[in-house]
Amino acid sequence: MRRPLLATTSVLLLTALGACSGGAAPSSSAPATSSAATSAAAAAKLTNVTEFVTAVNAAMLAKKTVHLSTAAADSRKPAESAKTKTQLRFEEGGKVSSLLVAEDGEGKTTVVQLPTEFFLQTADNEKETPGKPWRQVKAGGDDLFSKVMTPVVVRMTEASDPSRGIAHFGTAGQFDAPVPEQVDGVAATKYTITVDYAKVVAATTDKFVKGNFESKIKLNRSALKHEVWLDANNLPLRWRATESGKVEFTSTVDAKFQDWGKPVEIAAPPAAQIGVSAG
């Protein structure tokens, strides 16, 4: 559990740290311009942050479900990459259910988030209680496992929710002029929004968010650039977030979105497979 979970959490938080509180949908895509993309994407062009957040959020919520894959890389360790595959379902009342599977060089971690429950599956759990690889993380629970893992799992699942990835855009984001491009042959519009960490610190009242950004600033990291590609219906196709500053490296998270509106399989694990942590 330790390294895969913590590594995945850190890279997902990188995407979430462009946000202040629930905002609109993220997305992104790999560049590849084409004249065919111009006319198809032009009709969907958004001209400012407010339009962007409103339109993308509405488009995502209308579809309700999505599958996405994410890869995170650090220029200091180009051979290493933490990868995740996630299914999301937007529920009533602003809730999100998700199934997230994270893999890196040391193993696989699976997280199920339901509106009121969290479950965690790791190889360490299986070794500790054979046949019962799952643990339930109880928000507000008194057991040590829940106390330690609740904030990690909550932030991890929040970070995998694209509707939270751009909430800081309005108060701390620089909005560049959109340009037509393609994503895997699909006409798209690319939006670039760069979030200034100092501006986020000045604007947010969320202690967790403020503390994270202040820590980054102390480490000479100053901004997170979001490159977001939307289709003609303002749905995310791909989203790339790159952190920079007065440092000798960059951290990048690259996410691809597929199958908007198609069925997802998100459910609590069988009770017989849920063990109790020794801690």
Side-chain angles (χ1 to χ4, degrees):
M1 172 183 71
R2 300 175 190 82
R3 186 160 163 3
L5 177 60
L6 294 178
T8 303
T9 302
S10 65
V11 300
L12 287 176
L13 283 176
L14 174 61
T15 68
L17 288 182
C20 187
S21 60
S27 67
S28 27
S29 124
T33 57
S34 150
S35 58
T38 306
S39 59
K45 277 188 178 179
L46 307 170
T47 61
N48 56 56
V49 171
T50 299
E51 286 185 5
F52 182 93
V53 172
T54 301
V56 176
N57 198 46
M60 289 196 329
L61 294 179
K63 288 294 184 180
K64 296 188 184 301
T65 61
V66 68
H67 297 244
L68 63 141
S69 58
T70 303
D74 187 320
S75 62
R76 295 169 297 182
K77 301 176 181 178
E80 296 183 13
S81 177
K83 298 180 179 180
T84 67
K85 290 187 179 296
T86 303
Q87 299 179 51
L88 289 176
R89 182 173 61 235
F90 300 97
E91 312 282 10
E92 296 296 328
K95 302 292 185 178
V96 177
S97 294
S98 65
L99 170 63
L100 181 150
V101 180
E103 293 188 72
D104 68 3
E106 294 193 14
K108 181 171 74 172
T109 298
T110 303
V111 177
V112 172
Q113 176 200 10
L114 301 175
T116 60
E117 298 178 294
F118 297 93
F119 300 91
L120 181 69
Q121 181 187 47
T122 70
D124 284 354
N125 292 350
E126 176 66 37
K127 291 177 182 178
E128 184 178 327
T129 53
K132 296 187 175 184
W134 290 92
R135 299 288 181 273
Q136 184 171 8
V137 182
K138 300 177 182 178
D142 293 331
D143 61 293
L144 179 60
F145 185 78
S146 291
K147 286 181 179 179
V148 172
M149 295 310 304
T150 293
V152 175
V153 172
V154 168
R155 292 299 176 177
M156 187 176 183
T157 50
E158 283 184 351
S160 70
D161 171 7
S163 69
R164 301 175 184 272
I166 56 176
H168 285 316
F169 285 9
T171 56
Q174 174 184 314
F175 187 90
D176 294 350
V179 295
E181 291 190 357
Q182 283 192 343
V183 180
D184 298 331
V186 178
T189 301
K190 177 186 176 183
Y191 297 86
T192 301
I193 303 174
T194 303
V195 174
D196 185 307
Y197 289 172
K199 290 182 179 179
V200 175
V201 169
T204 186
T205 57
D206 185 310
K207 292 182 179 179
F208 181 90
V209 172
K210 186 183 289 288
N212 271 284
F213 280 108
E214 288 175 338
S215 297
K216 286 179 171 291
I217 291 172
K218 289 179 181 178
L219 293 173
N220 292 316
R221 303 173 189 178
S222 59
L224 188 64
K225 181 173 73 173
H226 296 260
E227 296 168 280
V228 180
W229 287 258
L230 303 179
D231 68 10
N233 296 312
N234 294 323
L235 286 168
L237 295 175
R238 194 172 174 184
W239 171 33
R240 183 167 59 210
T242 304
E243 186 179 54
S244 61
K246 295 180 181 179
V247 292
E248 297 180 353
F249 67 93
T250 57
S251 298
T252 302
V253 175
D254 202 352
K256 286 188 175 182
F257 298 78
Q258 297 178 315
D259 297 332
W260 281 102
K262 292 188 178 181
V264 294
E265 297 180 3
I266 305 170
Q273 295 182 16
I274 302 174
V276 178
S277 174

